[in-house]
């Protein structure tokens, strides 16, 4: 099913439309705090600081939280609800219940790359087969509490799938906007959940600009990564919480994370810091690495040139879920990777394809192009001496390979088609399969 196409354009707490927000709607969240100047604002549908226009994020007054309390919770992200901007009764609201995906000991991949202790955090098993189900669940809670009537997003694919599915489950109208050249499987994955899939003539940055314009003009619209972005972004913390819990309540030595907007990387780091501050894990050094595709690598370029600013680029890569040419959190990715002793690296599209196949044939995990980028960058980091192969390492797989089949089905290094033989033993022997 194809989406209709529109032309690109250039142009207490109260919620939307005067909706009164109930006490405890955002759990233990205290305020929205500017990441640049520190100014605080009341919780609501806001995402930019009125003083300096810097990005807002959630500030909390956390209660005492124990490992036992968390472990007694449901096997999804709501086991960490005390650390998220969601109400205590979040589990009673219809949602897709994402999270607590498997952490795989990747001995075969580790051996192939020369890494002694390697884990794959496999988020492809979430309800719509990507990590975006985590962030969307938090955004949906905020939209509901703020009285929003439309649940929407600009997306490079996975987010569109997650928003459409979550909206259907919650019984709220959803509208998702995507670049018109998005992979067909991702378009179908969204269209099956919503009849309001809109393809925009432009790249993701054009789609995002349009979403911002609509959010500013239309009342009652909750754009998950625009006007409810502070709540949405907190969902990525659950990746960090789970990794630490699944490692036996400790932090890895090194972690490699894909970079699109950069929000996932910054929030995993935030999660680790929160766990340390709460006494749930031991304080220890760890290195954070960012992964990009060369065809859209503004953060990697800035890292390698020693710059402090991100220069926007026009994306040109098969890794469309990472194709954000002007990443909102790019400068924060730089800060974290540098301060932890990590790095930001990029690889070519062909290396992305090779890494997809490598992960599949060593660990039986079929990843999409974002995961291929992350595994490929992991390989490059080892080869270039930027990552210590003797240290415990986690690499994140953010989505399932069925969403980006064309990446390995066509083009250089395409996966070979099945060999056809006659239905007899002689043909089998002649084919040299034995």
């Amino acid at each position: 099913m194809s989406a209709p196409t529109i032309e690109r354009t250039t142009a207490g707490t109260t919620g939307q439309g005067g909706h009164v927000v109930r006490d405890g709607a955002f759990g233990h969240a205290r305020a929205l705090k500017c990441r640049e100047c520190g100014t605080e604002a009341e919780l609501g549908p806001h995402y930019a600081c009125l003083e300096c226009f810097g990005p807002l994020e959630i500030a909390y007054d956390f209660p005492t939280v124990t490992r036992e309390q968390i472990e007694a919770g449901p096997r999804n992200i709501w086991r960490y609800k005390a650390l998220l901007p969601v109400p205590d009764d979040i589990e009673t609201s219809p949602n897709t219940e994402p999270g607590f995906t498997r952490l795989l000991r990747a001995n075969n991949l580790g051996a192939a790359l020369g890494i002694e202790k390697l884990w794959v955090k496999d988020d492809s098993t979430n309800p719509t087969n990507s990590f975006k189900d985590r962030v969307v669940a938090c955004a949906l809670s905020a939209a509901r509490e703020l009285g929003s009537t439309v649940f929407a997003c600009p997306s490079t694919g996975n987010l569109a799938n997650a928003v459409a599915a979550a909206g259907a489950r919650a019984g709220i109208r959803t509208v998702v906007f995507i670049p018109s050249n998005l992979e067909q499987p991702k378009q179908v994955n969204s269209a099956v959940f919503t009849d309001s899939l809109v393809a925009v003539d432009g790249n993701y940055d054009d789609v995002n600009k349009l979403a911002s314009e609509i959010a500013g003009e239309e009342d009652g619209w909750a754009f998950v990564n625009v006007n409810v972005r502070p709540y949405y972004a907190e969902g990525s913390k659950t990746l960090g919480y789970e990794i630490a819990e699944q490692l036996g309540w400790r932090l890895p030595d090194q972690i490699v994370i894909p970079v699109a907007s950069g929000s996932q990387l910054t929030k995993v780091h935030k999660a680790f810091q929160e766990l340390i501050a709460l006494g749930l894990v031991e304080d220890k050094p760890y290195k954070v690495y960012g992964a990009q595709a060369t065809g859209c690598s503004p953060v990697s370029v800035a890292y390698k040139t020693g710059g402090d600013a991100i220069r926007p680029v026009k994306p040109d890569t098969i890794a469309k879920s990472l194709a954000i040419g002007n990443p909102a959190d790019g400068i924060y990715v730089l800060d974290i990777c540098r301060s932890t002793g990590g790095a930001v690296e990029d690889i070519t599209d062909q290396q992305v394809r090779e890494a997809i196949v490598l992960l599949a044939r060593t660990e039986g995990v079929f990843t999409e192009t974002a995961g291929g980028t992350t595994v490929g960058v992991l390989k490059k980091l080892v080869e270039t001496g930027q990552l210590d192969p003797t240290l415990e390492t986690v690499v994140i797989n953010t989505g399932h390979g069925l969403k980006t089949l064309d990446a390995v089905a066509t083009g250089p290094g395409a996966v070979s088609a099945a060999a056809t033989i006659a239905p007899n033993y002689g043909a089998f022997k002649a084919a040299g399969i034995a």
Side-chain angles (χ1 to χ4, degrees):
M1 176 179 177
S2 297
T5 300
I6 64 176
E7 295 299 315
R8 175 176 52 205
T9 64
T10 56
T13 302
T14 56
Q16 295 184 325
H19 173 78
V20 178
V21 179
R22 62 179 176 144
D23 290 341
F26 304 113
H28 300 287
R30 180 186 75 247
L32 295 171
K33 185 174 182 178
C34 179
R35 292 170 73 172
E36 290 297 319
C37 71
T39 297
E40 292 193 357
E42 74 169 5
L43 295 162
H46 320 298
Y47 61 100
C49 176
L50 295 179
E51 297 296 323
C52 72
F53 301 105
L56 297 175
E57 65 176 359
I58 308 293
Y60 297 88
D61 287 326
F62 286 131
T64 298
V65 180
T66 68
R67 296 176 181 177
E68 291 74 21
Q69 288 172 333
I70 291 172
E71 291 167 352
R75 292 182 66 82
N76 56 53
I77 64 171
W78 305 135
R79 68 199 287 114
Y80 309 108
K81 64 184 178 182
L83 308 178
L84 298 170
V86 299
D88 188 59
D89 62 357
I90 182 64
E91 296 155 72
T92 66
S93 301
N95 66 87
T96 57
E97 301 177 1
F100 218 69
T101 55
R102 57 187 182 172
L103 182 69
L104 298 175
R105 179 67 185 268
N107 290 332
N108 297 331
L109 178 61
L113 300 181
I115 300 174
E116 293 182 11
K117 197 170 187 179
L118 178 63
W119 302 85
V120 175
K121 179 58 173 170
D122 184 17
D123 247 27
S124 69
T125 57
N126 271 311
T128 66
N129 303 113
S130 89
F131 93 96
K132 290 294 188 180
D133 290 312
R134 298 174 181 272
V135 290
V136 166
C138 289
L140 176 61
S141 175
R144 181 186 289 115
E145 298 296 340
L146 292 167
S148 305
T149 55
V150 181
F151 195 48
C153 71
S155 173
T156 54
N158 285 329
L159 182 58
N161 301 168
V163 165
R169 172 77 176 130
I172 185 173
R173 183 189 173 208
T174 59
V175 182
V176 293
F177 298 84
I178 58 173
S180 55
N181 68 345
L182 188 67
E183 300 101 331
Q184 189 66 12
K186 287 183 178 177
Q187 292 199 37
V188 174
N189 266 329
S190 295
V192 75
F193 296 117
T194 179
D195 60 2
S196 295
L197 174 66
V198 183
V200 179
D201 180 22
N203 60 31
Y204 173 79
D205 296 297
D206 298 314
V207 182
N208 192 49
K209 181 181 178 182
L210 173 60
S212 297
E213 292 172 356
I214 296 171
E217 296 293 335
E218 298 290 330
D219 187 42
W221 284 59
F223 277 92
V224 300
N225 47 352
V226 183
N227 55 346
V228 292
R229 182 179 178 83
Y231 311 92
Y232 155 92
E234 291 292 281
S236 286
K237 294 194 306 182
T238 60
L239 271 168
Y241 297 151
E242 286 178 19
I243 289 168
E245 182 180 352
Q246 290 169 323
L247 285 176
W249 292 107
R250 58 185 173 82
L251 303 180
D253 298 317
Q254 303 172 138
I255 185 166
V256 186
I257 306 172
V259 174
S261 72
S263 178
Q264 182 184 113
L265 185 148
T266 65
K267 295 305 180 183
V268 169
H269 174 64
K270 184 181 182 185
F272 287 172
Q273 291 300 303
E274 288 176 348
L275 293 176
I276 291 170
L278 290 165
L280 293 169
V281 299
E282 180 184 352
D283 190 0
K284 57 165 282 187
Y286 59 87
K287 295 181 179 181
V288 181
Y289 296 85
Q292 294 199 295
T294 304
C296 186
S297 54
V299 187
S300 178
V301 169
Y303 174 82
K304 293 176 181 179
T305 58
D308 294 321
I310 307 297
R311 301 186 65 176
V313 301
K314 184 176 181 180
D316 182 18
T317 173
I318 60 170
K320 296 188 185 300
S321 59
L322 302 182
I324 297 180
N326 188 18
D329 289 341
I331 57 173
Y332 304 111
V333 169
L334 284 178
D335 289 343
I336 290 168
C337 292
R338 286 170 174 161
S339 66
T340 62
V344 188
E345 188 56 90
D346 61 272
I347 58 170
T348 67
D349 283 357
Q350 183 55 29
Q351 289 172 312
V352 172
R353 294 185 181 96
E354 292 168 357
I356 291 172
V357 175
L358 175 64
L359 179 61
R361 293 182 178 176
T362 55
E363 299 298 340
V365 175
F366 187 16
T367 183
E368 64 164 354
T369 49
T373 301
T374 312
V375 171
V377 163
L378 172 65
K379 180 175 185 289
K380 185 174 181 179
L381 290 168
V382 174
E383 293 171 344
T384 56
Q386 297 179 79
L387 183 142
D388 188 340
T390 68
L391 298 179
E392 184 173 48
T393 304
V394 173
V395 62
I396 295 179
N397 172 35
T398 51
H400 202 288
L402 289 175
K403 296 188 177 195
T404 57
L405 278 173
D406 285 351
V408 290
T410 60
V415 176
S416 299
T420 303
I421 64 172
N424 59 70
Y425 184 73
F428 161 74
K429 292 296 288 183
I433 299 170

